[in-house]
Structure formats: C-alpha cells, structure tokens
Amino acid sequence: MKLLIVDDHDLFANSLKAVLKKNDRFEVEVLVCDGTNFNDVLQKDDLSSIDIILLDIHLGKRNGLLLGEQIMQQNPDSKIVFLSGYDLLEFRNQVKKIGARGFFNKNISIDKLTDSLNLVMEGKYLFKDEKKEENVLTKREIEVLRLLAEGYRQKEVADILNVSIRTVSQHVFVITRKLDVDSSIGAIVAALKKGILTVIPKE
C-alpha cells in the first residue's frame, strides 16, 4: 500500500513514516509542505498511483483543505485521509464535503491508524457519527459569540449590534452557562468543537 504523508512538520511526518514502515504492507513517502509548495504535491508524477494521501489541515499559513480539494478535482479517485491536531466538527464537515475518506486526530494510536487505513483501502469512509448541536444557543447568542471569536471586545459587540454592553454581558453569561464553561474564550472553543461556530478556511 503506497502512502503519501503531506505535513508541514518534518519531525512528525518522518516519525510517522518510520513507525508505519515497520508494517511490511506500507510503502511510505513524505512530502513536507509549508503552504508555499502546493504545486510540489499537485504536480507529483506518481500522485495518481498513491493509494492513500495522509494530509494535514494546517500547512504553514495555508489550509490543507484547499489542497485536498485541488487534489480531488485533479484526481477524483484519490483516497485522502486528514490527520490534524485540531479535532473540530466544522473541519470534519468540510473534509466530508471535498470527498475525503476519513478524519483523525493526530493523537490516534498507531494500531488504530493502521486498521483505519486498511478499511479505507477496502472502500470505507471513516468519520465520527456526530450530529451538529444547532439548538444549544439562540441566533442572537451565536451572533454575539461569533463577533467575540472575530476579536471584537464586548463594548464593540454592543456597538455593532446596537445594544447596551449590559445586554452583551448578559448574553455572554448565558452562553457560558449553556456551554458549561467559565469564560468567553472557553465558550468559543466549545462552540467550535460542537460545530456551532464555523471556521473559514484561509487561502
């Protein structure tokens, strides 16, 4: 089974390669991609012959989702599995949309990863069976939290929404209670994990 690991961290990629190569079934190649060399992946001579591409979400300052989408456009039969330290529901949803075969957290055990790659080769799609928690927060609470996630302070949020800062503070209090966290930052993180807030891929 020919595997291509595309990651911006040389140490991680080559460490994973070394571990996977202990299994005689795997033939593993690494391509370190920091976001400036997408074409090195897209123009790889034997890209279409790679059985599974293990792709990171964050490639330097660029987004691996964009590279994955380009690979699928170029080679629709490609089997892409995303490996990321950012295990967010929104990422998993976007990965599904581009036609990838799976999404795994980088803390996955090597045994589970090996088993999963074998399943992908058999044609399986491997994703967590989770439902988006859409009704946890009201539309206004999501609007407040999204503005906070974009870096606005509560006073600025109040000005944008044309409400008092007291109203914004009350929204934040209710949001943190609903998400069982103790700060607005904690609420943002929780909302991202639950898929309540979305992450916009950057070029």
Side-chain angles (χ1 to χ4, degrees):
M1 186 190 305
K2 294 180 67 174
L3 306 177
L4 174 63
I5 300 171
V6 181
D7 199 286
D8 62 334
H9 290 99
D10 194 338
L11 179 61
F12 170 81
N14 280 291
S15 296
L16 180 58
K17 174 183 176 180
V19 175
L20 288 172
K21 283 189 70 176
K22 291 180 180 179
N23 187 319
D24 294 337
R25 187 179 180 190
F26 296 138
E27 179 184 337
V28 189
E29 183 179 353
V30 166
L31 201 161
V32 178
C33 180
D34 62 4
T36 63
N37 56 333
F38 273 16
N39 284 338
D40 289 351
V41 181
L42 296 169
Q43 296 174 5
K44 197 174 186 309
D45 292 338
D46 62 343
L47 187 63
S48 61
S49 68
I50 299 294
D51 292 311
I52 299 176
I53 301 169
L54 295 169
L55 184 59
D56 192 7
I57 290 282
H58 291 281
L59 297 173
K61 294 182 179 180
R62 299 193 70 189
N63 196 302
L65 291 165
L66 298 174
L67 177 57
E69 189 172 15
Q70 290 175 43
I71 292 173
M72 292 303 297
Q73 289 173 351
Q74 182 174 303
N75 298 292
D77 294 329
S78 294
K79 294 181 177 68
I80 299 176
V81 171
F82 279 89
L83 276 175
S84 177
Y86 299 87
D87 191 5
L88 303 178
L89 179 58
E90 176 60 22
F91 282 156
R92 291 195 291 276
N93 289 338
Q94 292 181 40
V95 162
K96 289 178 184 178
K97 288 179 182 178
I98 69 174
R101 299 301 181 103
F103 181 98
F104 303 109
N105 195 300
K106 281 185 174 179
N107 65 11
I108 188 174
S109 71
I110 193 64
D111 288 338
K112 185 171 182 180
L113 178 59
T114 298
D115 290 343
S116 298
L117 293 176
N118 288 328
L119 289 172
V120 168
M121 276 303 295
E122 293 173 5
K124 301 290 193 303
Y125 288 77
L126 304 178
F127 296 97
K128 289 182 181 178
D129 185 18
E130 295 186 68
K131 293 183 178 179
K132 195 172 180 178
E133 299 186 39
E134 296 175 333
N135 300 320
V136 174
L137 304 181
T138 66
K139 289 183 179 180
R140 174 61 82 173
E141 289 165 351
I142 292 173
E143 192 173 13
V144 168
L145 195 56
R146 180 175 290 113
L147 289 169
L148 292 173
E150 291 174 0
Y152 292 102
R153 298 181 178 180
Q154 289 192 24
K155 177 63 169 63
E156 295 171 316
V157 173
D159 291 341
I160 292 170
L161 300 179
N162 196 29
V163 297
S164 69
I165 190 170
R166 182 177 178 180
T167 298
V168 172
S169 296
Q170 181 63 25
H171 280 311
V172 172
F173 175 77
V174 172
I175 290 168
T176 56
R177 282 296 185 90
K178 286 184 175 181
L179 297 179
D180 194 25
V181 295
D182 56 10
S183 68
S184 56
I185 293 177
I188 292 167
V189 172
L192 286 169
K193 287 182 176 179
K194 292 176 182 293
I196 298 169
L197 289 183
T198 59
V199 180
I200 306 300
K202 293 182 179 180
E203 293 280 354

